[in-house]
Each structure stands twice: as C-alpha cells, then as structure tokens.
C-alpha cells in the first residue's frame, strides 16, 4: 500500500504541474496548448509528450509574446498551437531549425490558434519558436 501512496502523490504532483503550465498535447491531432497560469509573463517549465520531453518558455514584452518549445530527448510533432496572449496579434511568426514555417492564425475570446501549413517535427536539440506581435 505504501508504494501506492507514493504513486498517488507523484500523480498529484504531475497534475499540479500540468495545471500551472497549461500544457496539453493531443497526439492524434498534433495540437499543442500552452496557457500558463503561473507567471505567464515569464514562464519556464517542463513538458513530456508521447515521443519526447523538454522545456517550455513563454515571455511577454508589452503586446509581444514569445513561446519556445525545446525538445531535449525524442521528438514532438506540432501542427496546431493554442496560446493566450495579452492582446490580439497582428503577426505570428513560427520558426524551427532556422526555417520559418508558414501558418494561419485566428484570435477569438483571448485565445490565438496558430495552424501550421506543414507539421513541424521538432527533434532532440531543436526549438520551435512562436512570436506574436
């Protein structure tokens, strides 16, 4: 039973981490949601996906926002990204591996959804960056 208690505490801690980071990943849709609730203007955190893990970062400067997903091990496929900026963006730029990824975006009720025109396969050692301005 003690082993079960450790498991329950670990899962409770994991749930808290997910709640604070606002991290959600839908593997079949390759859809990522990052809506940090704790220090959203300067957020740093950890993520674990179905095929990889790494770090997350969100920073804000006025109406501009920058989100980074850095894969440390494995990989993560991303076709859609949902973020919560402070204001409606006029431009969205997505980059990975030094290349710009064409995208479309919509803003509704404080949420921006960025749809990539091609899926970004972010491998170990790479970073997916989204800039809203």
């Amino acid at each position: 039973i003690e082993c079960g208690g450790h498991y329950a505490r670990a899962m409770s801690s994991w749930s808290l981490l997910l709640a604070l980071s606002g991290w959600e990943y839908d593997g079949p849709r390759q859809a990522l949601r990052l809506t940090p609730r704790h220090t959203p203007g300067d957020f740093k955190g950890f993520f674990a996906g179905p095929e990889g893990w790494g770090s997350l970062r969100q920073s804000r400067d006025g109406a501009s926002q920058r989100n980074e997903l850095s894969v440390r091990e494995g990989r993560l496929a991303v076709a859609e990204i949902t973020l919560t900026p402070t204001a409606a963006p006029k431009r969205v730029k997505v980059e990975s591996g030094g290349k710009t990824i064409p995208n479309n975006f919509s803003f509704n009720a404080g949420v921006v959804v960025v749809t990539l025109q091609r899926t970004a396969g972010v491998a170990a050692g790479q970073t997916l960056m989204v800039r809203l301005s």
Side-chain angles (χ1 to χ4, degrees):
I1 293 180
E2 182 60 31
C3 181
H6 289 294
Y7 177 77
R9 281 191 296 278
M11 292 310 293
S12 177
S13 297
W14 182 251
S15 297
L16 179 61
L17 175 67
L18 291 176
L20 288 175
S21 70
W23 162 265
E24 295 176 29
Y25 182 74
D26 181 338
R29 291 185 45 237
Q30 301 173 327
L32 164 66
R33 180 179 188 91
L34 178 59
T35 56
R37 291 161 183 85
H38 178 70
T39 62
D42 186 22
F43 175 80
K44 297 174 189 171
F46 166 84
F47 79 88
E51 296 181 296
W53 64 271
S55 63
L56 303 166
R57 182 170 185 158
Q58 177 174 288
S59 58
R60 292 178 175 161
D61 183 13
S64 297
Q65 180 170 306
R66 179 177 170 144
N67 290 81
E68 296 177 24
L69 179 135
S70 298
V71 176
R72 301 288 188 232
E73 293 289 333
R75 64 182 301 277
L76 190 70
V78 180
E80 180 182 283
I81 306 158
T82 300
L83 304 167
T84 52
T86 58
K90 293 180 178 71
R91 288 185 297 153
V92 174
K93 184 174 184 179
V94 181
E95 297 176 286
S96 183
K99 297 180 182 177
T100 299
I101 301 171
N103 67 82
N104 300 307
F105 69 93
S106 63
F107 181 80
N108 187 22
V111 175
V112 64
V113 177
V114 182
T115 305
L116 306 182
Q117 291 182 7
R118 64 174 170 80
T119 299
V122 189
Q126 293 182 329
T127 299
L128 178 72
M129 186 172 5
V130 181
R131 292 185 184 145
L132 310 175
S133 57

